[in-house]
Amino acid sequence: QVQLVESGGGLVQPGGSLRLSCAASGFTFSLYDIFWYRQAPGKGCESIVSITTTGGTSGVNSVKGRFTGSRDNNKSTAYLQMNNLKPEDTAVYYCDANGLRGGSCRSWGQGTQVTVSS
């Protein structure tokens, strides 16, 4: 059974940092690219950072230079390091592995809430 469980969210002030984790099980983690998504209040799902099987990472313009993806294949876990957080980063964050979860992030469960506010 494929499982991807996000954690590490919370309330942080603007300019602060958080590191999210995505713990995977039920599939061969090292063979899959990982994608981080987010859904801000009232908006759709947005893919923001990708992590290749070998650890290469890229992000959309709105997070470039602030968010970095990484992975530890030995632990079947991916990470999203978020620095210089802004109020517009407030969202529920999710991870996926090459579409294994299917559908949109709205159907993936709780995710992890990140709230950036002073």
Side-chain angles (χ1 to χ4, degrees):
Q1 176 184 352
V2 171
Q3 280 199 316
L4 290 148
V5 180
E6 304 88 351
S7 63
L11 173 63
V12 62
Q13 291 187 341
S17 297
L18 282 174
R19 189 176 84 151
L20 306 184
S21 297
C22 168
S25 61
F27 63 100
T28 307
F29 179 79
S30 62
L31 299 181
Y32 288 79
D33 295 340
I34 298 298
F35 297 84
W36 283 97
Y37 293 81
R38 68 184 179 186
Q39 185 177 21
K43 296 190 177 180
C45 299
E46 175 189 22
S47 176
I48 55 170
V49 168
S50 62
I51 311 166
T52 68
T53 56
T54 54
T57 183
S58 63
V60 297
N61 286 341
S62 59
V63 306
K64 266 181 187 172
R66 301 189 299 121
F67 290 12
T68 303
S70 63
R71 65 193 296 159
D72 185 336
N73 286 338
N74 291 326
K75 294 183 178 179
S76 295
T77 301
Y79 304 97
L80 182 64
Q81 179 66 44
M82 306 188 296
N83 298 327
N84 190 21
L85 282 159
K86 303 176 180 181
E88 52 263 42
D89 295 318
T90 295
V92 181
Y93 285 71
Y94 303 89
C95 60
D96 189 21
N98 270 13
L100 279 183
R101 297 180 94 163
S104 78
C105 71
R106 293 175 223 187
S107 64
W108 294 347
Q110 285 190 325
T112 189
Q113 174 72 48
V114 172
T115 302
V116 185
S117 174
S118 54

